[in-house]
Amino acid sequence: MRGAADGVTYDYRGVLLVGAGPAPSPYCTEFDPLNIPRIRSQDATGEDARYGSTAWLDELAATPGRRYTSDGDVNRIAYPADIGTVPAEPFRSWALAY
């Protein structure tokens, strides 16, 4: 995505949303680089508390299957087989379901 302001041109490779929850892997078919969800820092109270870190960290602690941690091998995309999603087509040859 290209934009410009005050005579300066910008090329965006990713755009973060204000606060929407955990982001999918950039290798996942659901990943949209122009709409990257993020967990924002916020306490457990207030109008938008459901989008904040307190709520999401509690949710991720209660459902460890939703968390992902890299296996550290830069030549492989490891992902849980039971999550119902698969890597996007260009990355499937690197993929290893566990």
Side-chain angles (χ1 to χ4, degrees):
M1 182 168 115
R2 183 171 283 242
D6 297 324
V8 178
T9 301
Y10 299 90
D11 287 313
Y12 298 98
R13 295 177 63 185
V15 178
L16 294 173
L17 299 175
V18 172
S25 164
Y27 301 107
C28 182
T29 55
E30 287 87 24
F31 182 76
D32 177 358
L34 299 181
N35 291 289
I36 303 171
R38 71 175 179 92
I39 297 173
R40 65 183 181 195
S41 180
Q42 182 172 336
D43 65 23
T45 61
E47 182 179 335
D48 295 324
R50 69 185 180 276
Y51 302 117
S53 56
T54 302
W56 274 109
L57 291 174
D58 289 346
E59 167 71 18
L60 292 170
T63 54
R66 295 193 64 192
R67 300 186 307 236
Y68 172 77
T69 302
S70 171
D71 67 1
D73 184 343
V74 298
N75 296 309
R76 178 176 56 216
I77 302 166
Y79 67 97
D82 63 350
I83 63 171
T85 60
V86 296
E89 184 60 42
F91 309 111
R92 287 189 188 154
S93 65
W94 301 357
L96 174 66
Y98 61 88

